[in-house]
């Protein structure tokens, strides 16, 4: 369905797409991605289904750490669609602005600098301290996204959503 939504949006807003130069086409593609993410965030059932699926996957990976040997380092690659990741972050991202105000989650992609760009990624790491405390390390690879903010993921919320 997302492909249909994307094509309809592009056709309606950019009827001359095929005649645009490559840079302009790239900007159109980003606008289409932004539109898809806005649509996903405005669709509560889809948003929550995506969030729960990613939370379950992340919780399973955290549980896998229980059987690993001390000092193990495992990199697990998960690739997903922009709408899925944006939905997940909209419920689990914790942002602290330079003034110290903390906000959990977001309602629009504008709050995080737009949708993820092509080839933009995020890194998630699980750190387990000697006393067994778990902490998710999270970062965007775009240094300009949420610049000057501190951000993390709400581990408790992820565990609740994974149930």
């Amino acid at each position: 369905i997302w492909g249909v939504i994307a094509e309809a949006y592009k056709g309606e807003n950019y009827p001359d797409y095929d005649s645009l130069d490559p840079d302009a086409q790239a900007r159109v593609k980003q606008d289409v991605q932004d539109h898809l993410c806005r649509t996903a965030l405005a669709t509560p059932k889809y948003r929550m289904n995506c969030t729960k699926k990613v939370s379950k996957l992340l919780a399973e990976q955290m549980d896998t750490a229980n059987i690993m040997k001390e000092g193990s380092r495992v990199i697990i690659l998960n690739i997903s669609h922009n709408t899925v990741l944006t939905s997940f972050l909209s419920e689990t991202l914790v942002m602290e602005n330079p003034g110290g105000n903390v906000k959990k989650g977001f309602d629009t992609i504008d709050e995080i600098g737009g949708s993820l760009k092509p080839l933009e990624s995020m890194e998630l790491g699980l750190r387990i301290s000697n006393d067994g405390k778990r902490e998710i390390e999270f970062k965007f690879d775009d240094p300009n996204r949420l610049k000057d903010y501190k951000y993390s993921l709400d581990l408790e919320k992820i565990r609740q959503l994974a149930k």
Side-chain angles (χ1 to χ4, degrees), residues 35-154:
H35 173 72
L36 291 175
C37 286
R38 284 187 180 93
T39 302
L41 292 180
T43 310
K45 186 174 180 178
Y46 177 82
R47 181 178 178 169
M48 190 51 62
N49 284 343
C50 291
T51 301
K52 286 181 176 183
K53 286 178 183 177
V54 175
S55 294
K56 285 178 184 176
L57 179 62
L58 195 53
E60 288 171 5
Q61 292 174 355
M62 287 189 291
D63 289 343
T64 300
N66 292 334
I67 61 171
M68 300 177 85
K69 294 180 181 177
E70 185 177 331
S72 295
R73 181 171 172 87
V74 176
I75 297 172
I76 301 172
L77 178 64
N78 291 311
I79 300 172
S80 191
H81 296 292
N82 200 346
T83 56
V84 174
L85 293 173
T86 301
S87 295
F88 170 72
L89 291 175
S90 75
E91 298 292 329
T92 61
L93 185 65
V94 179
M95 301 172 285
E96 180 180 343
N97 71 16
N101 295 322
V102 175
K103 183 172 189 231
K104 292 185 176 187
F106 57 88
D107 293 314
T108 70
I109 59 172
D110 300 324
E111 294 176 64
I112 62 164
S115 65
L116 301 176
K117 309 298 182 260
L119 301 179
E120 182 179 356
S121 66
M122 305 174 305
E123 288 185 30
L124 291 169
L126 176 64
R127 181 174 303 279
I128 304 173
S129 64
N130 289 339
D131 63 357
K133 183 179 176 192
R134 295 166 187 271
E135 180 180 304
I136 293 180
E137 296 175 342
F138 170 78
K139 71 177 185 173
F140 292 105
D141 72 342
D142 178 352
N144 294 314
R145 184 173 294 278
L146 295 177
K147 189 174 183 179
D148 300 325
Y149 276 66
K150 294 179 185 175
Y151 51 87
S152 61
L153 295 178
D154 186 339

